[in-house]
Amino acid sequence: GENVEQHPSTLSVQEGDSAVIKCTYSDSASNYFPWYKQELGKRPQLIIDIRSNVGEKKDQRIAVTLNKTAKHFSLHITETQPEDSAVYFCAAKRYSSASKIIFGSGTRLSIRP
Amino acid sequence: DADVTQTPRNRITKTGKRIMLECSQTKGHDRMYWYRQDPGLGLRLIYYSFDVKDINKGEISDGYSVSRQAQAKFSLSLESAIPNQTALYFCATNSGGTNTGELFFGEGSRLTVL
């Protein structure tokens, strides 16, 4: 069935450095890839998404890249700050109103001062 | 602000008890979902509903049931709770009017089954 694998499960980076989280998906028909951030004790919230007709999308310090051939997509956070500490989930979905979102297993990102 | 509200936020119960988690939303969305979050396993879909008359099983529906009482209300039941159902449960909603469908989550219900 549909599956999304996410790596690493935990990541610790020095404040100011970059962080990269990688995901692969199994359903070749997937063409919408959102990323959710869950701060400690809070609910997950969408932070950025990308559609398959785009290879990269940026929003300030956050960027997502997509390689449809390899079925890989990644989240890049530059100039990390303490408030970036959270669990990040990637997800994949077919671009159809009838399809469900499948989540990866999450990455706990810690920013060291 | 339009929101997604879950009750109870925390619940401790015993094996074999019946438990109901409730979700209500004021976002006007037609679609509602129940997810379960366990450490290292991400968010797994239990059940989802695209409108009041529509109920669908997700990845891990065994041991759970749901009821869509109204467009704004979607409840999750554990008929006979067992310890491995201890988890954080999230209700979520989105609009069927978009193909992407950003999910809006409730604050979560932490369930402990002893």
Side-chain angles (χ1 to χ4, degrees):
Chain A
E2 302 155 345
N3 186 49
V4 176
E5 294 191 0
Q6 183 171 348
H7 300 281
S9 57
T10 60
L11 179 61
S12 178
V13 301
Q14 193 77 33
E15 183 177 349
D17 289 350
S18 296
V20 180
I21 301 170
K22 299 181 179 182
C23 291
T24 60
Y25 59 97
S26 61
D27 182 2
S28 56
S30 295
N31 45 21
Y32 172 64
F33 307 93
W35 286 86
Y36 285 77
K37 175 183 180 182
Q38 184 183 25
E39 296 178 358
L40 187 63
K42 302 287 183 64
R43 68 187 89 184
Q45 292 186 300
L46 179 72
I47 54 171
I48 195 167
D49 55 18
I50 190 168
R51 301 179 189 178
S52 60
N53 59 347
V54 175
E56 183 175 3
K57 181 177 179 181
K58 289 184 179 180
D59 183 2
Q60 299 181 7
R61 295 185 297 107
I62 295 174
V64 290
T65 58
L66 172 64
N67 182 330
K68 281 215 75 179
T69 303
K71 293 192 281 186
H72 290 171
F73 58 113
S74 299
L75 176 71
H76 304 252
I77 307 174
T78 59
E79 301 174 11
T80 52
Q81 300 173 5
E83 57 263 35
D84 296 328
S85 292
V87 177
Y88 292 81
F89 294 100
C90 63
K93 180 184 181 294
R94 295 183 181 187
Y95 195 68
S96 158
S97 60
S99 66
K100 332 181 272 297
I101 294 174
I102 304 298
F103 285 91
S105 54
T107 296
R108 181 173 298 279
L109 174 63
S110 300
I111 307 301
R112 304 191 303 271
Chain B
D1 282 342
D3 205 359
V4 183
T5 303
Q6 292 182 229
T7 56
R9 296 290 312 283
N10 287 284
R11 181 73 183 268
I12 300 173
T13 190
K14 294 182 179 179
T15 298
K17 294 291 187 181
R18 183 177 186 274
I19 294 297
M20 179 180 288
L21 306 180
E22 298 185 330
C23 178
S24 63
Q25 52 111 349
T26 56
K27 288 191 166 293
H29 290 161
D30 47 355
R31 300 183 174 194
M32 299 187 74
Y33 306 77
W34 276 104
Y35 285 91
R36 168 177 172 161
Q37 183 177 15
D38 299 275
L41 294 177
L43 294 159
R44 293 184 292 168
L45 184 61
I46 307 172
Y47 270 96
Y48 62 103
S49 169
F50 282 359
D51 65 42
V52 175
K53 298 179 181 179
D54 177 71
I55 299 290
N56 303 281
K57 292 183 177 181
E59 307 165 68
I60 54 164
S61 58
D62 287 350
Y64 301 94
S65 63
V66 291
S67 174
R68 184 81 184 268
Q69 302 94 325
Q71 187 201 31
K73 296 184 182 294
F74 192 39
S75 60
L76 176 72
S77 293
L78 289 67
E79 296 299 326
S80 179
I82 57 177
N84 75 2
Q85 291 177 313
T86 293
L88 181 58
Y89 291 85
F90 283 102
C91 174
T93 74
N94 66 4
S95 170
T98 66
N99 285 329
T100 54
E102 175 183 355
L103 285 170
F104 294 87
F105 287 87
E107 292 180 303
S109 296
R110 185 168 297 281
L111 176 65
T112 302
V113 183
L114 302 176

